[in-house]
Amino acid sequence: MKILVPVKRVVDYNVKVRAKSDGSGIDLANVKMSLNPFDEIAVEEAVRLKEAGKCDEIIVVTIGPEKAQEQLRTAMAIGADRGILVKTDTPIDLGGVEPLAVAKTLKAIVENEKPDLVIMGKQSIDDDSNQTGQMLSALLGWAQATFASEIKLDGDSATVTREIDGGLETIKIALPGIITTDLRLNEPRYASLPNIMKAKKKQLDIMDPSDFGVSYDPKVKILNVSEPPARTGGGKVSSVDELIDKLKNEAKVIS
Amino acid sequence: MKILVIAEHHGTELATNTLNVVAAAKKFGGDIDLLLAGSNLSDVAAQAAKIDGISKVKTAESADYDHHLAESMAALIVPMAADYDILLAPSSTFGKNITPRIAALLDVQQISDIISVESNDTFTRPVYGGQAIAKVQTSDSKLVITVRPTGFDPVNAEGGSAAIESVSGGAPDAKSEFVSLKEAESDRPELTSANIVVSGGRGVGSAENFKMIEALADKLGAAVGASRAAVDAGYVPNDWQVGQTGKIVAPQLYIAIGISGAIQHLAGMKDSKYIVAINKDEEAPIFQVADYGLVADLFDTVPELTEKI
Ligand SMILES: Cc1cc2nc3c(=O)[nH]c(=O)nc-3n(C[C@H](O)[C@H](O)[C@H](O)COP(=O)(O)OP(=O)(O)OC[C@H]3O[C@@H](n4cnc5c(N)ncnc54)[C@H](O)[C@@H]3O)c2cc1C
């Protein structure tokens, strides 16, 4: 079995970001960038399947700038076998390469690579759209299992437990198919130094969006990016009695 | 302008977020139809027909749609989309799962999680875990949108008298089947629409201790929430998680207990009207958004609060 794992370079989840003062986007100058956390979980899952003897090859692919090679190397240090960068200078966080365009690019790559399974993050923590996996499966006419917290492969199907608002749902999808990951699927390992060194030598191909005939001109224009309305927090109370008094008589939210 | 609201329902209950999605639909101005899919729809259809502002309730009555699998729902909705300019669904796991599949088949770039309608092609939506708000304008002629329920005040559940009409749809393009559902059962109010939410974090320490949080919630008639750390540690089920990847809540009162206030948690609750934080670390970032912060040990304060409130 061959598994394709699409990944994205995003701002590190610990970073507090700011909108640029001209409202054109998020200020990413000198900000730490990482592998999107959900994608890291997707890579880890593929590596575990390989370690369990259920997968022969893991290919990671990303669409992004030259520097997105760093995230491919991170994924290869976790255990992916080779990487593909579809190189573009169009922004990938907001107002640039959109989920539909990503899905179209990935469709072309799937047609080239013919994986049996695609595992990818359910959302990227920059644009928060939560669309690409579903779109890719639609374009391919494959089945989808989103928000996975458990995956069991059996032959030509996968049984997937999904985290949904009402609890945990289990579905079975035919393969080839698409699975998107939720946080509790696994806890990604830290790559060891030898594996980081090894990853540097793994195959990494660079491709051009024109190879796939997909346009990265956005359909949705960003008119403005601003800070959310600030909360005036910081109020303190010194006892439970004072808290109850405030909730009853000031906020009037309890009676 | 013709609008279709893809409504979420659970058996015979219409999801409360339907009223918020209809509120968003009303901002466009135009005819609003509402779609229900599944078996035994007569009860939900009757509820939906009463919602203020609906022209027609369309029911796709078939066991094929029972679990709202994305493949079946897309097979139903994509052909219907020819008659509509705008498709709207809640940005719950129900909506998020289905709408991108529909959008891709229509070659539309979906807009996720809108919190306002500025005009018929311009919307605002939170990005970067709510750390910024983007105002976006689409050039697509057909729109597929998910609506963040907390962004729109619900319309009236009563007062309408829409006609109910049955529809049928195509066969799914790919194979998936429902196996089982481990449903969260609770007599408490639903997390995303409760007036009061009491949430516990890693500081609570164990599933056993979490009963203390639940006791406070029950005294207040509140829903119970949790941080990711509390869910990951197995204190509580996954569907209690509040945050960027959990549920988005905006109750009148949110009480955060033993929660530090990570960006990803704040993303799910910082639009609450009043926030109370109980944490023994006075440096915890949760205090920066709290109206009433109490620096104290939760094991002392929570039982006292439950007793006195
Ligand atoms: C991609 C991604 C998505 C995420 N999505 C979410 C999400 O949706 N929701 C979410 O919540 N998190 C999410 N997280 C996790 C988030 O970053 C934090 O790790 C998490 O919110 C921390 O939970 P916590 O506040 O309960 O735990 P901690 O940060 O460990 O805080 C525990 C707090 O309890 C206090 N405490 C301990 N003992 C006591 C006591 N006896 N009395 C009083 N106070 C006490 C401590 O002072 C501390 O402030 C996400 C992370 C990532 C990477």
Side-chain angles (χ1 to χ4, degrees):
Chain A
M1 162 165 301
K2 194 161 159 182
I3 301 179
L4 183 78
V5 184
V7 300
K8 187 175 181 186
R9 173 182 172 89
V10 297
V11 69
D12 186 83
Y13 81 97
N14 280 310
V15 172
K16 231 178 145 142
V17 300
R18 300 207 137 269
K20 286 187 199 160
S21 53
D22 66 359
S24 63
I26 296 291
D27 192 355
L28 293 176
N30 306 317
V31 161
K32 182 177 178 206
M33 302 298 282
S34 294
L35 189 56
N36 180 43
F38 294 100
D39 306 349
E40 196 177 347
I41 291 169
V43 174
E44 174 70 32
E45 192 67 15
V47 173
R48 289 186 191 188
L49 288 168
K50 191 174 174 199
E51 287 167 347
K54 299 202 164 166
C55 155
D56 315 301
E57 190 186 21
I58 303 165
I59 306 154
V60 281
V61 50
T62 196
I63 299 165
E66 181 90 42
K67 281 192 163 168
Q69 289 183 54
E70 295 166 12
Q71 281 63 46
L72 291 175
R73 295 290 175 202
T74 304
M76 290 191 276
I78 297 171
D81 297 297
R82 60 184 169 93
I84 301 169
L85 167 66
V86 180
K87 201 173 119 220
T88 176
D89 291 323
T90 308
I92 54 171
D93 70 327
L94 300 173
V97 188
E98 296 170 333
L100 184 58
V102 172
K104 287 178 179 174
T105 308
L106 294 176
K107 175 176 186 260
I109 290 173
V110 165
E111 283 163 356
N112 286 343
E113 296 287 348
K114 302 193 171 44
D116 305 281
L117 176 64
V118 177
I119 308 180
M120 56 202 287
K122 74 166 182 179
Q123 81 192 64
S124 61
I125 61 166
D126 45 8
D127 171 68
D128 280 334
S129 275
N130 196 329
Q131 299 176 4
T132 308
Q134 297 89 312
M135 287 184 154
L136 176 60
S137 78
L139 297 179
L140 290 165
W142 288 8
Q144 69 181 57
T146 51
F147 326 144
S149 64
E150 200 187 337
I151 301 173
K152 282 193 209 122
L153 295 185
D154 24 7
D156 54 2
S157 71
T159 302
V160 179
T161 301
R162 310 176 55 231
E163 295 209 2
I164 60 168
D165 291 342
L168 292 171
E169 182 187 69
T170 303
I171 64 170
K172 194 169 161 183
I173 60 166
L175 297 182
I178 310 272
I179 298 174
T180 76
T181 61
D182 217 318
L183 291 171
R184 275 169 285 276
L185 181 59
N186 61 49
E187 231 176 282
R189 70 195 67 188
Y190 289 100
S192 67
L193 195 58
N195 285 342
I196 293 171
M197 300 312 290
K198 247 196 262 165
K200 291 191 176 156
K201 299 203 194 79
K202 288 184 180 173
Q203 182 184 340
L204 194 164
D205 298 315
I206 298 183
M207 303 185 82
D208 193 89
S210 65
D211 298 342
F212 309 107
V214 178
S215 160
Y216 288 162
D217 293 338
K219 291 178 157 210
V220 178
K221 211 160 68 189
I222 302 284
L223 300 181
N224 178 53
V225 176
S226 59
E227 306 276 321
R231 259 198 99 91
T232 38
K236 289 269 165 63
V237 291
S238 56
S239 68
V240 167
D241 292 327
E242 189 187 347
L243 175 60
I244 294 175
D245 176 61
K246 294 273 191 197
L247 291 177
K248 280 191 176 152
N249 302 315
E250 193 176 84
K252 300 190 167 63
V253 285
I254 60 170
S255 48
Chain B
M1 205 58 78
K2 290 267 295 165
I3 305 166
L4 183 68
V5 168
I6 304 165
E8 176 172 359
H9 65 98
H10 308 281
T12 54
E13 287 275 332
L14 198 60
T16 52
N17 62 34
T18 309
L19 301 178
N20 309 86
V21 180
V22 172
K26 278 187 146 184
K27 305 272 182 203
F28 289 92
D31 273 352
I32 305 170
D33 290 352
L34 185 148
L35 175 69
L36 292 165
S39 313
N40 305 319
L41 294 174
S42 53
D43 284 359
V44 258
Q47 289 166 43
K50 284 196 219 134
I51 296 176
D52 180 34
I54 305 291
S55 306
K56 262 187 211 142
V57 173
K58 303 214 162 177
T59 54
E61 184 102 33
S62 161
D64 291 348
Y65 309 128
D66 271 355
H67 302 285
H68 299 142
L69 295 172
E71 298 80 2
S72 316
M73 292 296 280
L76 169 66
I77 296 165
V78 170
M80 288 180 71
D83 297 333
Y84 293 95
D85 303 295
I86 302 168
L87 307 183
L88 294 175
S91 65
S92 55
T93 52
F94 160 86
K96 285 177 191 166
N97 185 47
I98 297 168
T99 50
R101 193 166 184 105
I102 295 167
L105 295 172
L106 297 171
D107 199 30
V108 169
Q109 177 50 56
Q110 171 177 316
I111 302 176
S112 293
D113 224 15
I114 64 163
I115 53 170
S116 80
V117 177
E118 305 287 313
S119 72
N120 280 0
D121 63 5
T122 304
F123 314 94
T124 61
R125 54 181 301 265
V127 293
Y128 281 88
Q131 295 184 82
I133 306 294
K135 189 197 268 188
V136 303
Q137 182 178 38
T138 177
S139 58
D140 275 320
S141 52
K142 201 179 281 294
L143 306 188
V144 178
I145 292 173
T146 60
V147 174
R148 178 176 287 204
T150 55
F152 298 86
D153 290 333
V155 296
N156 212 324
E158 304 283 335
S161 56
I164 300 174
E165 190 180 289
S166 72
V167 292
S168 53
D173 58 352
K175 247 183 82 189
S176 64
E177 68 189 89
F178 172 82
V179 177
S180 64
L181 174 63
K182 203 170 127 202
E183 210 167 354
E185 282 186 42
S186 163
D187 297 332
R188 300 198 179 95
E190 200 247 325
L191 188 52
T192 57
S193 54
N195 278 322
I196 304 179
V197 174
V198 181
S199 285
R202 197 196 316 262
V204 177
S206 69
E208 190 54 34
N209 293 345
F210 219 90
K211 300 219 168 78
M212 209 165 63
I213 306 295
E214 299 181 48
L216 174 59
D218 290 339
K219 189 93 185 262
L220 288 166
V224 187
S227 70
R228 174 192 171 187
V231 177
D232 284 3
Y235 306 167
V236 296
N238 67 288
D239 49 289
W240 292 12
Q241 183 175 314
V242 171
Q244 184 178 15
T245 38
K247 288 181 180 157
I248 309 289
V249 303
Q252 293 294 307
L253 174 61
Y254 187 89
I255 305 182
I257 302 169
I259 292 177
S260 62
I263 297 164
Q264 295 85 8
H265 188 79
L266 300 184
M269 45 63 79
K270 69 180 158 58
D271 292 328
S272 305
K273 184 99 191 284
Y274 288 95
I275 296 174
V276 169
I278 300 175
N279 195 305
K280 66 178 180 188
D281 172 13
E282 65 175 317
E283 303 289 319
I286 190 76
F287 287 123
Q288 293 165 20
V289 299
D291 301 282
Y292 306 118
L294 182 56
V295 181
D297 193 304
L298 70 91
F299 294 102
D300 302 329
T301 41
V302 174
E304 185 186 347
L305 187 58
T306 308
E307 192 194 309
K308 290 183 173 168
I309 214 158

